[in-house]
Amino acid sequence: MTRTFDLEVNGVAYPLTIDPGRSLLSVLRGEIGLTGTKEGCDDCECGACMVLIDGQPVNSCSLLAAQAEGRSVTTIEGIIDGDRLSEIQAGLLDEGGVQCGFCTPGMIISATALFARNPDPTPDEIRVGLSGNLCRCTGYGRIIEALAVDGVGRADRPAESGS
Amino acid sequence: MTEFEIASSLEEALALVAEGYRPIAGGTDLVVAARTGRAPLPGRLVSIERLDELSGIEPTTEGLLIGAVVTHARLMRTQSVIDDFTALADASALVGSPSTRNVGTIGGNVMNASPAMDTGAPLVVLNAEIVLRSTRGERRVAAADFWAGPGRTVAEPDELCVALAIPNQPDGSASAYVRLEYRRAMEIAVVGAAARVDLDGRGRIIGASVALTAVAPTIVAVDGATEVLAGRSLDPATLTDIADAASRKATPISDLRASDTYRRHCVGVMARRAVEAAFGRATGDPIAVPVNRSTGIGAAR
């Protein structure tokens, strides 16, 4: 039996008719076409599929899309503000906190939730906040350094400046 | 194709479970097992994570009643849990990562019945009861009697775990949970131990309980922990005795994470350290939650 409902993603209500056994990750990528959310392990281990649900980071591989009905989902595509990168996005680019980039959307989701709760985290608090995100390039040092730089999470700048 | 309902009341959820629907909350076990092919997604699912009736953390005259869909993230930050049922806060803070703790629930952890579950040993040493409800009524089962094997409990198919009931602990009592881990997040306990220590007014041990994680088909309690510890100071001989009692209770398997020999030895070490941490807390030593992070014992660097 399919289920028909609206899923709110990045402030937009997407009408869906889907098998309710499908994960949120599968629906975000396969139905809605928002492919910034990555499928890494599909085993709730790596954090590449992380999204915000009502502001809290959640692995979208481990939740059914139907369970997100009536919730507010934010993906990496919803983190950018118009043509301006978020402070966290710009900071990662400027400080070399991106290598292959596959883990980056999930890292940014985790960091966004962390900075919302704690605007001035210590490096240890950053490590805990990102502890559900694996980087197979093992670029953790630069990611944590980038997020620990003064100003990240507090200043914003145009999208062009980071590329 | 899956049939899926979002329950709007506990009564509706119980009626659907009686019809054969399986409950789903955080999804971190059920959905992931289906995605990775370990177990297919049940054909009929009822989502229960929004039910107010299952979301409370309520002090009662007997103790604390924790709703089944309370998340690990909420438990580890709830002051009454940190203050009075500290081992459960230790364990909740070690589960998964921030994102899994945000959705994973205590009821799900209990019903999934993994021998490596972090919250199980704390529930046993705190004498918690699992509150089960069905359309036929409600019953409570002691945590120590609840798990029947890996992935198996004594709950009937139509029974829903609605809450955990933890009795008030005696004055002078404190608890701790420690696990051996190879990494600091998204880890499953290699082995673990929870301890509760009860002190009299003069600081002497008058009661104790120790339970073990990932060394048997279920969480197991160490036999005679009170007899081993009561009236003794925590000197090396006492700690060796409780470690030996824990290792004797262990019947671990060998797998890619550890050999049976290593597990049997290390669970004794974890039991000793859990007793030391619980005793420290009972005597006013402010050992922060979780013990693994605040002291580094059992923890990956």
Side-chain angles (χ1 to χ4, degrees), chain A residues 1-3 19-21 23 42-45 50 56-59 61-64 66-67 69 71 128-129 131-132, chain B residues 1-2 4 6 24-28 31-32 35-36 38 41 45 49-50 97-100 102-103 183 185-186:
Chain A
M1 190 195 310
T2 58
R3 188 174 178 88
D19 172 0
S23 71
D42 207 12
D43 195 16
C44 202
E45 292 272 352
M50 210 172 285
Q56 296 298 313
V58 171
N59 292 329
C61 71
S62 67
L63 200 74
L64 300 178
Q67 290 181 281
E69 180 184 351
R71 310 277 199 211
V128 173
S131 62
Chain B
M1 193 170 286
T2 310
F4 178 87
I6 297 176
I24 182 169
T28 54
V31 176
V32 170
R35 294 274 85 74
T36 56
R38 287 193 290 273
L41 200 64
L45 287 172
E49 76 273 11
R50 302 177 201 223
S97 70
S99 56
T100 49
N102 280 337
V103 291
R183 56 180 181 172
M186 297 312 300

Side-chain angles (χ1 to χ4, degrees), chain A residues 2-163:
Chain A
T2 58
R3 188 174 178 88
T4 298
F5 62 101
D6 285 353
L7 185 65
E8 187 200 314
V9 184
N10 305 327
V12 178
Y14 292 91
L16 297 172
T17 297
I18 58 163
D19 172 0
R22 289 179 64 182
S23 71
L24 178 58
L25 171 63
S26 139
V27 170
L28 287 172
R29 291 179 56 87
E31 297 295 321
I32 298 178
L34 292 171
T35 53
T37 302
K38 300 304 181 194
E39 180 180 321
C41 62
D42 207 12
D43 195 16
C44 202
E45 292 272 352
C46 75
C49 68
M50 210 172 285
V51 300
L52 298 177
I53 296 186
D54 295 337
Q56 296 298 313
V58 171
N59 292 329
S60 62
C61 71
S62 67
L63 200 74
L64 300 178
Q67 290 181 281
E69 180 184 351
R71 310 277 199 211
S72 172
V73 180
T74 305
T75 67
I76 187 66
E77 290 90 347
I79 295 291
I80 195 165
D81 178 16
D83 63 351
R84 292 180 77 80
L85 295 175
S86 77
E87 308 88 346
I88 289 162
Q89 291 174 308
L92 283 171
L93 284 171
D94 287 356
E95 302 297 329
V98 177
Q99 290 186 40
C100 87
F102 199 81
C103 74
T104 307
M107 290 278 182
I108 291 169
I109 292 287
S110 275
T112 299
L114 169 67
F115 278 85
R117 190 172 67 243
N118 178 359
D120 194 16
T122 65
D124 261 358
E125 289 168 337
I126 293 170
R127 284 189 188 92
V128 173
L130 299 185
S131 62
N133 299 89
L134 299 184
C135 168
R136 292 299 74 180
C137 307
T138 68
Y140 299 105
R142 295 294 289 272
I143 293 168
I144 289 157
E145 283 168 28
L147 294 171
V149 167
D150 284 350
V152 170
R154 276 158 274 166
D156 70 336
R157 60 192 103 174
E160 298 76 39
S161 76
S163 53

Side-chain angles (χ1 to χ4, degrees), chain B residues 3-265:
Chain B
E3 292 181 45
F4 178 87
E5 301 291 342
I6 297 176
S8 54
S9 70
L10 180 55
E11 284 60 39
E12 183 189 356
L14 293 175
L16 289 168
V17 171
E19 283 178 35
Y21 279 73
R22 290 279 308 279
I24 182 169
T28 54
D29 289 309
L30 203 60
V31 176
V32 170
R35 294 274 85 74
T36 56
R38 287 193 290 273
L41 200 64
R44 295 192 288 176
L45 287 172
V46 53
S47 159
I48 59 168
E49 76 273 11
R50 302 177 201 223
L51 292 176
D52 289 339
E53 300 100 310
L54 306 185
S55 302
I57 301 179
E58 296 164 20
T60 67
T61 51
E62 297 88 34
L64 197 66
L65 196 64
I66 301 172
V69 302
V70 170
T71 63
H72 301 298
R74 222 177 121 202
L75 276 180
M76 67 184 265
R77 294 187 187 119
T78 298
Q79 200 60 47
S80 59
V81 177
I82 294 169
D83 290 343
D84 301 331
F85 310 101
T86 320
L88 184 59
D90 286 328
S92 302
L94 293 179
V95 172
S97 70
S99 56
T100 49
R101 290 193 290 270
N102 280 337
V103 291
T105 64
I106 181 78
N109 205 219
V110 165
M111 295 304 289
N112 190 55
S114 165
M117 63 184 294
D118 286 308
T119 62
L123 291 171
V124 169
V125 301
L126 295 169
N127 295 315
E129 292 178 316
I130 288 78
V131 184
L132 299 171
R133 197 176 296 175
S134 70
T135 53
R136 299 174 288 122
E138 182 175 297
R139 66 175 177 135
R140 295 182 172 203
V141 180
D145 303 324
F146 187 70
W147 295 289
R152 293 192 296 120
T153 75
V154 301
E156 298 295 332
D158 68 338
E159 285 181 317
L160 183 70
C161 173
V162 293
L164 289 303
I166 311 184
N168 290 320
Q169 306 295 305
D171 287 344
S173 174
S175 64
Y177 174 72
V178 182
R179 76 177 185 193
L180 178 66
E181 57 187 7
Y182 297 150
R183 56 180 181 172
R184 296 179 64 158
M186 297 312 300
E187 178 64 309
I188 297 168
V190 181
V191 294
R196 192 200 79 241
V197 173
D198 310 326
L199 306 184
D200 68 10
R202 291 191 286 177
R204 292 180 309 192
I205 298 174
I206 53 172
S209 178
V210 175
L212 310 177
T213 308
V215 291
T218 65
I219 302 296
V220 287
V222 174
D223 303 316
T226 293
E227 288 68 26
V228 172
L229 293 172
R232 298 176 72 182
S233 62
L234 286 193
D235 57 26
T238 308
L239 292 169
T240 298
D241 285 349
I242 196 66
D244 288 348
S247 291
R248 278 197 304 276
K249 185 67 183 180
T251 54
I253 57 168
S254 292
D255 63 13
L256 62 91
R257 301 167 60 71
S259 69
D260 55 351
T261 306
Y262 183 68
R263 279 198 168 97
R264 192 175 296 112
H265 173 74

